Amino acid sequence: MKKKNILELSSLFKTTIYGLQMGYAETHSSNSLVIKPSSIEECREIINYCNREDIKICFRGGGFSYGDMILNTNELILDMSSMNNILVWDSDSGQISVEPGVSFASIFKTSLLDNWTLTSCPGGMDVTIGGAISNNVHGKDAWKNGNFGQQVTSIELLLSNSDVLIIEKNDPIFKAVIGGMGMFGLVVKINIQLKKIPSPYVRVRTELTNNITESIDLLELRKEDSDFSVAWVDAFIKGDSIGRGYVSSASWVYEDLKTTELELEKSLTKSKYIFGFLPSKPVWCVGRLFFKPAVLKLLNKLHYFLAKVSFAKSNAFSSPVLFTDYNFMHNKIPDIKEVYRPFGFYEFEPLLPRVEGKETLKDLIKLCQKHKCESLLCGVKAHKSDDFLISFEGDGYSIGVDIQIAGREKVKVKKFVKELSEFIISNQGKIYLAKDENISKISFQKMYPNYKDFLILKKSLDPNHRFSSDMYKRLMT
Ligand SMILES: Cc1cc2nc3c(=O)[nH]c(=O)nc-3n(C[C@H](O)[C@H](O)[C@H](O)COP(=O)(O)OP(=O)(O)OC[C@H]3O[C@@H](n4cnc5c(N)ncnc54)[C@H](O)[C@@H]3O)c2cc1C
């Protein structure tokens, strides 16, 4: 972007900042101009200006995507977090209408008081609804409720020609905008049908497993009698115990229990302390010095051992836990990414089909071990299929692998990414784009064969590629 444009835009819009921007994983940064609009009119003015001056626009919600899908080197980022109003809330029907910058936390603060919930909630409570739509995010209920788009009833989309398009569920454009990574237009208003729940509380059951086969069997079994499930896997252990860990499942509590505004506020306020008492910054700064594979291996052992001691009575259910405390458990270990600084981390989240699932997951863990790319915490979730154009879906299992960059040679990481991509493709799997910044264009095309239809629609709705991102340039141009 030219200096003249930066100066003009800065004088036209109050909330404009020029500087280095990063994805959540903080692996690299690039300069962009960031504008935080507060109304649709302002968004329209910015788009018109960019049309005249040929500036590319990338949208950003909460900035919780890990890599380059929220970067737009030397161009413009439109940060939607200030358009964060709940426009309509009907506690009788559970219908809610929101601006795109509204977070999961703010919807829960309202809806859980009346026993209504969003489904498909990611682990980050400040993720925005615009961001959730554009990655079609998933939660621990993915195998039951699918991905986020299932509950959305209609969307208002501001196009690059300034028109606002209202799109409903059965519209092919709807199927593309959900999971569309902001490439078709700016989502400016969303209508959602929330799900009625018996109470805002869940009971959690934690069951130990001796290996990945048992974990997968248990994930399957819990589909029959629970609403949420996730398996935690020790990525370091080898041999017969490979992938040992525990499965945490949860079910809504069918009792007349009510929450309060105060309890929700507490649950949805970010803690500064790890487990409520350890000051996070100093702990992570010291932790960084010990963040080495040998220590991580030990921590995984310790984690398993502690789980064994605390959950000795397998099958035992917890007392009722507020859903937001269960779902946003990351909140209990705040600022964990401090430990990866200053070089950040890569997360790879592959989804592999259920057929042969146990064996492929075992092989994948072995592949990580071969490259010394085992994850500190490794979560496995079950998923189901949907019909959105580009979507992290399918009847199978996803597994999260995150590796710190510090202490690793670039060539070795590249080799791992190449082998991992080949492994995933040969097993008909895919990598979650919200967390990716590594796969090649060819790998992307193999993992997401609908990309051709995606690009045809992109051409018709945004012929001048006004909406873009570093990821779009990497994978689709
Ligand atoms: C701690 C943590 C836990 C997570 N857990 C999960 C999980 O369990 N499941 C899961 O699926 N994901 C998970 N994620 C990833 C996260 O949910 C997604 O990356 C999500 O899309 C981030 O939303 P955001 O509001 O931060 O949007 P951003 O990351 O800022 O943007 C995401 C995408 O949406 C586009 N976009 C944003 N706003 C708009 C708009 N108004 N109109 C059009 N496009 C827009 C952006 O251009 C970008 O392509 C997690 C992330 C973190 C940090």
Side-chain angles (χ1 to χ4, degrees):
M1 193 190 300
K2 293 179 196 136
K3 206 168 176 186
K4 159 198 137 185
N5 297 130
I6 297 175
L7 292 173
E8 272 178 11
L9 283 165
S10 304
S11 68
L12 285 171
F13 302 98
K14 269 188 291 175
T15 48
T16 309
I17 310 158
Y18 182 79
L20 287 174
Q21 306 300 318
M22 285 198 258
Y24 180 79
E26 298 186 352
T27 47
H28 66 275
S29 55
S30 70
N31 274 315
S32 299
L33 187 72
V34 181
I35 305 183
K36 271 191 184 190
S38 53
S39 66
I40 299 183
E41 225 17 78
E42 223 177 326
C43 297
R44 204 176 253 132
E45 279 175 43
I46 296 164
I47 292 173
N48 286 340
Y49 180 95
C50 291
N51 280 337
R52 285 196 304 275
E53 298 291 320
D54 195 19
I55 296 167
K56 304 285 182 212
I57 306 170
C58 171
F59 307 124
R60 188 166 75 190
F64 292 100
S65 295
Y66 287 45
D68 55 355
M69 73 157 47
I70 48 171
L71 296 183
N72 201 15
T73 305
N74 292 327
E75 305 272 352
L76 181 74
I77 292 176
L78 214 54
D79 181 325
M80 300 305 294
S81 57
S82 294
M83 284 179 63
N84 57 1
N85 292 304
I86 294 179
L87 303 169
V88 181
W89 164 236
D90 182 339
S91 61
D92 291 328
S93 68
Q95 283 168 8
I96 196 162
S97 178
V98 297
E99 289 186 328
V102 164
S103 66
F104 278 77
S106 77
I107 293 190
F108 280 130
K109 277 182 198 170
T110 305
S111 73
L112 287 183
L113 292 170
D114 298 311
N115 289 6
W116 292 97
T117 189
L118 283 165
T119 60
S120 324
C121 301
M125 64 187 182
D126 294 323
V127 165
T128 67
I129 301 305
I133 283 184
S134 303
N135 273 322
N136 199 15
V137 300
H138 62 272
K140 298 176 189 71
D141 57 349
W143 49 274
K144 187 169 194 162
N145 294 317
N147 289 9
F148 191 82
Q150 303 290 353
Q151 65 204 312
V152 177
T153 52
S154 67
I155 292 171
E156 291 188 16
L157 193 69
L158 178 57
L159 301 176
S160 53
N161 66 5
S162 283
D163 287 350
V164 171
L165 205 62
I166 300 175
I167 38 177
E168 315 250 338
K169 248 188 172 359
N170 47 5
D171 191 323
I173 301 177
F174 186 90
K175 301 281 178 205
V177 169
I178 305 274
M181 297 167 275
M183 287 304 112
F184 301 105
L186 176 63
V187 173
V188 287
K189 187 175 159 192
I190 308 108
N191 293 317
I192 306 172
Q193 174 60 60
L194 302 195
K195 186 183 157 103
K196 191 72 187 165
I197 42 173
S199 77
Y201 294 88
V202 291
R203 274 187 215 279
V204 185
R205 168 159 57 174
T206 310
E207 296 164 283
L208 283 179
T209 63
N210 292 310
N211 49 47
I212 190 75
T213 308
E214 281 188 25
S215 297
I216 297 297
D217 286 344
L218 206 49
L219 279 178
E220 287 301 316
L221 191 68
R222 290 293 155 249
K223 283 183 179 176
E224 285 162 27
D225 59 6
S226 67
D227 297 299
F228 306 93
S229 60
V230 59
W232 300 108
V233 163
D234 179 344
F236 287 85
I237 202 94
K238 294 182 176 163
D240 289 347
S241 302
I242 192 162
R244 74 175 181 190
Y246 57 87
V247 170
S248 155
S249 55
S251 306
W252 292 110
V253 173
Y254 280 80
E255 284 169 34
D256 189 19
L257 298 173
K258 287 271 175 209
T259 184
T260 59
E261 279 179 28
L262 202 67
E263 190 183 27
L264 283 169
E265 189 63 42
K266 199 171 156 217
S267 168
L268 293 164
T269 301
K270 277 214 167 124
S271 171
K272 288 194 181 75
Y273 298 96
I274 303 166
F275 301 122
F277 66 97
L278 289 167
S280 69
K281 281 240 167 179
V283 168
W284 295 132
C285 284
V286 176
R288 217 180 281 160
L289 303 173
F290 299 97
F291 208 70
K292 307 271 178 325
V295 181
L296 299 191
K297 189 174 174 177
L298 203 70
L299 283 177
N300 265 273
K301 269 196 176 152
L302 188 69
H303 186 195
Y304 184 73
F305 173 74
L306 289 176
K308 207 169 177 171
V309 175
S310 2
F311 308 120
K313 269 198 280 160
S314 67
N315 263 339
F317 286 94
S318 72
S319 46
V321 178
L322 192 60
F323 171 67
T324 44
D325 284 340
Y326 168 70
N327 197 70
F328 304 123
M329 48 181 87
H330 278 100
N331 204 13
K332 296 203 170 60
I333 15 183
D335 304 321
I336 190 165
K337 69 177 178 171
E338 278 276 351
V339 90
Y340 297 103
R341 284 183 180 149
F343 302 111
F345 66 101
Y346 286 142
E347 171 143 343
F348 304 94
E349 189 173 352
L351 195 158
L352 295 155
R354 184 145 73 106
V355 192
E356 309 289 342
K358 294 172 199 166
E359 287 313 308
T360 40
L361 280 181
K362 207 185 277 180
D363 290 343
L364 189 127
I365 295 171
K366 284 184 190 162
L367 182 72
C368 296
Q369 291 176 345
K370 179 181 131 191
H371 288 269
K372 302 207 177 333
C373 286
E374 302 95 336
S375 192
L376 166 62
L377 274 179
C378 202
V380 177
K381 290 180 221 159
H383 293 250
K384 73 174 185 182
S385 303
D386 66 31
D387 60 353
F388 296 106
L389 207 49
I390 300 273
S391 183
F392 189 64
E393 55 72 53
D395 183 11
Y397 309 103
S398 66
I399 177 163
V401 177
D402 49 75
I403 57 166
Q404 86 274 22
I405 306 294
R408 287 182 198 278
E409 286 173 45
K410 247 188 183 166
V411 235
K412 288 194 177 159
V413 176
K414 270 197 171 163
K415 202 169 163 214
F416 172 61
V417 173
K418 189 166 175 283
E419 262 190 59
L420 183 70
S421 299
E422 283 164 3
F423 175 86
I424 294 165
I425 291 164
S426 67
N427 284 290
Q428 284 81 49
K430 57 179 83 165
I431 265 204
Y432 190 21
L433 297 173
K435 298 186 175 174
D436 176 64
E437 53 187 302
N438 281 297
I439 60 166
S440 68
K441 183 174 170 178
I442 292 173
S443 297
F444 163 72
Q445 292 179 346
K446 288 183 179 157
M447 291 175 190
Y448 292 93
N450 285 342
Y451 78 93
K452 287 183 192 149
D453 294 338
F454 188 93
L455 291 178
I456 292 169
L457 193 63
K458 166 88 174 156
K459 202 169 175 191
S460 76
L461 290 179
D462 181 28
N464 297 318
H465 304 264
R466 184 62 46 229
F467 307 131
S468 182
S469 69
D470 288 358
M471 175 179 271
Y472 176 68
K473 286 176 209 145
R474 172 168 61 94
L475 300 178
M476 294 193 232
T477 58

